[in-house]
Amino acid sequence: MKVYLVKYLSLFLLFLLMVSCQNNSKKENPVVPEQKKELDIEYQIMVQRASQSAIWAMPAVALIDFVKATKRDLGGDLNDVVYLTKPLNSTHGFLTANDVTAYGWGSISLADGPMIIEVPAATDKVSYFGSILNAWQQPIEDIGPAGADKGKGGKYLIIPPGYTNPIPNIENYIVLYSDTNQLGFSFRPRLYNGATDEDAGAYAQTIKIYKFSEEKNPPATNYLDATNKPYGGLPVYDYTFFQDINDVIQANPIRTQDKAMVGILKSLGIEKGKEFNPTDMQKKAMQEGLDMAYDYMTYLFTTPGKVIIPLWEGKNNWYAWNFTKGQPQLGFPYETEDEILIDGRAGAYFYITYLPKYLGGGTFYLTGFRDSRGEMYKGTDTYKLNVPADTPAKDFWSVIVYSMETKGFIYDAEKVGLSSRQKDIMQLNEDGSYDIYFGPKAPKGKESNWIPTGEDFFLLFRLYGPTTKDFYKTWSLGDLEKIN
């Protein structure tokens, strides 16, 4: 009996010893307070750097998304020309583009040396207004009658950064110098003498892009018809935003003015010449920082005195664009001798692309966010806008709905806008004005004058060919009235 008691007692003591060892082991594994503090501060720094990086990179991300959309959605590539034979529709993802123009656009790579883009001369039917930009959306030059070729067309020779070889017969070219390897261009056709959008599409197919080294026998340019194909060129505010930043860094030389920001990207896993493979903690920090950046850029976009200013303060809730002081006159570099204008740049390129080098007066934009009660437009409500008969647009006026979330068209909407060019299908009031309706469903009997929403939105009201430079001193547009 004693032998058994000793045996069981020994087993019991052994069991207690094992439990004690396991507990001690568990106590040794947890992160000690000092380590936890280090991880917390590291994570918080990642969040801050992700937020600032997103604001800094906004214009470059918006532009590189065109490269990705061309490859993904059209099976194309850099140095191709994308064109339309009808205006953009709700399946085309562009930041606040219009729905009345059959654009031509594309992206160019200087990675293999200088490139030539041949811009066609203006005809009696079609001419171009547009710009060539570097990877940061800094305009390099405008083209067409308002640009460097003055409507005569020409060969734009684009020189990559660091290129020093002599250019023979340089006087035969319009020479441009880029400080990035990737560029973008967007050309808006102007139509005359009964020309159609099909004419604009044919005109786009006379643009030529080829290497300077192949000028004597250039290969055929590849043309991509995006008319009836979805095209997702909008920035997306998730992990892909930082993939875009990485792609910009990998595809272009690091400019002196960007070195400090590129240095902090390392903590997010973005480094020149290295694969982008962030950890779970980095991904989490990126999203948290991006959410903060998005909220901040929304604040810049919707707050009077930032990137918009009241046009008729105290009278209604329409706003005019408010570019950072001096930028339109300088050609929108968003740089001075002392600084990069990061906030002004981000606030603008959060909702627009392809600013010109020389800002003209051919179009005036009104931005609307708030109804007559001062409340932000809601996708669940229905509104009415009265467009007066005396609206001062020599060519035509247009009003377009944009998603507050994406700053592009509301995806897959039946239509995205209406204009005075559609007088034949819209109902006209007795006084010559038009009532335009916005909401998830058309008011009964008003389908022809209705633009669908279904999500929170904002408006751009465009006047094409304003009658005077100061038309707004004698004319104004009323607010949207909520009707249910």
Side-chain angles (χ1 to χ4, degrees):
M1 185 70 176
K2 291 182 179 179
V3 173
Y4 286 112
L5 286 174
V6 171
K7 182 177 180 181
Y8 286 130
L9 184 59
S10 298
L11 290 172
F12 180 71
L13 291 173
L14 180 61
F15 172 76
L16 291 177
L17 180 61
M18 292 174 64
V19 170
S20 177
C21 289
Q22 288 178 354
N23 289 337
N24 289 337
S25 177
K26 289 180 180 179
K27 291 178 181 178
E28 290 172 3
N29 287 333
V31 176
V32 297
E34 291 78 9
Q35 292 174 319
K36 184 177 185 302
K37 184 177 180 181
E38 289 173 2
L39 288 175
D40 285 347
I41 191 64
E42 185 178 358
Y43 177 78
Q44 291 303 323
I45 289 295
M46 286 182 189
V47 171
Q48 292 180 25
R49 290 183 170 182
S51 179
Q52 296 304 322
S53 297
I55 296 167
W56 163 75
M58 186 69 245
V61 167
L63 200 62
I64 203 169
D65 280 327
F66 285 100
V67 177
K68 295 189 173 187
T70 297
K71 291 180 178 181
R72 179 189 61 245
D73 300 330
L74 304 180
D77 208 338
L78 293 153
N79 305 326
D80 292 345
V81 174
V82 186
Y83 70 94
L84 300 168
T85 57
K86 295 179 182 178
L88 295 169
N89 61 49
S90 62
T91 67
H92 294 123
F94 284 70
L95 292 171
T96 56
N98 71 56
D99 69 336
V100 297
T101 301
Y103 292 89
W105 72 93
S107 305
I108 298 173
S109 173
L110 305 177
D112 295 329
M115 295 290 293
I116 290 176
I117 176 168
E118 287 192 28
V119 174
T123 71
D124 62 346
K125 285 191 170 185
V126 189
S127 70
Y128 268 145
F129 168 78
S131 307
I132 301 169
L133 319 174
N134 75 2
W136 289 88
Q137 292 205 59
Q138 290 176 308
I140 299 174
E141 188 55 88
D142 292 346
I143 59 90
D149 62 85
K150 306 301 181 186
K152 298 178 181 178
K155 294 182 178 181
Y156 288 77
L157 174 62
I158 311 174
I159 308 297
Y163 189 84
T164 57
N165 293 350
I167 304 294
N169 303 314
I170 197 169
E171 65 276 4
N172 295 333
Y173 309 99
I174 300 170
V175 182
L176 309 179
Y177 295 89
S178 174
D179 59 358
T180 64
N181 284 338
Q182 289 188 350
L183 305 97
F185 67 89
S186 180
F187 301 159
R188 188 178 77 189
R190 289 173 169 167
L191 306 179
Y192 316 96
N193 301 319
T196 66
D197 294 321
E198 286 76 12
D199 293 323
Y203 189 67
Q205 293 175 75
T206 63
I207 301 169
K208 296 179 182 179
I209 302 175
Y210 51 86
K211 296 178 182 178
F212 175 62
S213 61
E214 298 176 332
E215 183 183 17
K216 291 183 178 179
N217 186 26
T221 301
N222 190 31
Y223 301 99
L224 306 168
D225 186 353
T227 305
N228 297 311
K229 297 179 180 179
Y231 186 89
L234 292 169
V236 179
Y237 296 93
D238 61 14
Y239 173 64
T240 62
F241 196 97
F242 289 90
Q243 289 179 325
D244 289 347
I245 295 178
N246 179 69
D247 290 343
V248 171
I249 296 301
Q250 303 306 332
N252 296 283
I254 305 301
R255 306 181 306 169
T256 300
Q257 61 266 49
D258 298 324
K259 285 184 177 181
M261 290 301 298
V262 170
I264 73 171
L265 288 174
K266 286 185 179 180
S267 63
L268 304 174
I270 298 174
E271 189 171 355
K272 181 76 170 178
K274 294 188 178 181
E275 184 179 355
F276 181 46
N277 188 26
T279 64
D280 289 342
M281 185 168 75
Q282 286 171 324
K283 288 181 180 179
K284 184 173 182 291
M286 287 177 196
Q287 189 61 60
E288 186 174 341
L290 182 58
D291 290 345
M292 189 188 309
Y294 180 89
D295 289 345
Y296 180 62
M297 289 187 285
T298 299
Y299 161 76
L300 294 176
F301 175 52
T302 59
T303 301
K306 300 299 181 181
V307 298
I308 47 106
I309 53 173
L311 189 58
W312 297 289
E313 190 166 11
K315 187 174 183 180
N316 57 31
N317 291 303
W318 287 100
Y319 301 92
W321 291 1
N322 183 36
F323 296 113
T324 304
K325 185 178 180 180
Q327 289 307 296
Q329 295 78 16
L330 294 173
F332 298 103
Y334 279 100
E335 292 184 22
T336 71
E337 291 183 1
D338 302 316
E339 63 176 320
I340 298 176
L341 304 170
I342 293 177
D343 281 2
R345 186 176 74 174
Y349 290 116
F350 184 50
Y351 72 107
I352 55 179
T353 49
Y354 294 106
L355 285 170
K357 189 174 181 68
Y358 309 106
L359 189 65
T363 309
F364 192 91
Y365 299 76
L366 297 173
T367 304
F369 307 106
R370 300 181 183 277
D371 63 18
S372 59
R373 303 162 303 165
E375 296 181 1
M376 298 289 283
Y377 305 155
K378 296 179 180 177
T380 54
D381 295 333
T382 302
Y383 304 87
K384 181 179 75 172
L385 170 68
N386 180 261
V387 182
D390 63 347
T391 298
K394 287 182 289 187
D395 298 328
F396 63 98
W397 57 260
S398 164
V399 60
I400 299 178
V401 166
Y402 297 100
S403 163
M404 182 57 79
E405 179 182 357
T406 68
K407 311 303 180 294
F409 301 136
I410 292 178
Y411 185 76
D412 218 18
E414 178 182 336
K415 54 187 172 183
V416 299
L418 287 168
S419 76
S420 57
R421 296 202 309 181
Q422 296 166 292
K423 292 179 179 179
D424 56 331
I425 66 169
M426 291 195 297
Q427 297 177 25
L428 180 67
N429 296 327
E430 291 184 1
D431 63 358
S433 68
Y434 291 91
D435 289 331
I436 308 298
Y437 297 87
F438 309 87
K441 293 182 180 180
K444 189 175 181 179
K446 304 297 182 182
E447 290 81 4
S448 64
N449 289 40
W450 164 71
I451 306 173
T453 58
E455 62 178 87
D456 293 350
F457 66 97
F458 67 97
L459 299 177
L460 287 186
F461 189 97
R462 292 173 169 92
L463 293 93
Y464 288 90
T467 52
T468 64
K469 290 183 179 180
D470 55 358
F471 67 88
Y472 54 88
K473 294 181 179 179
T474 56
W475 175 90
S476 67
L477 185 65
D479 284 326
L480 270 64
E481 299 285 343
K482 182 181 175 182
I483 59 176
N484 65 37

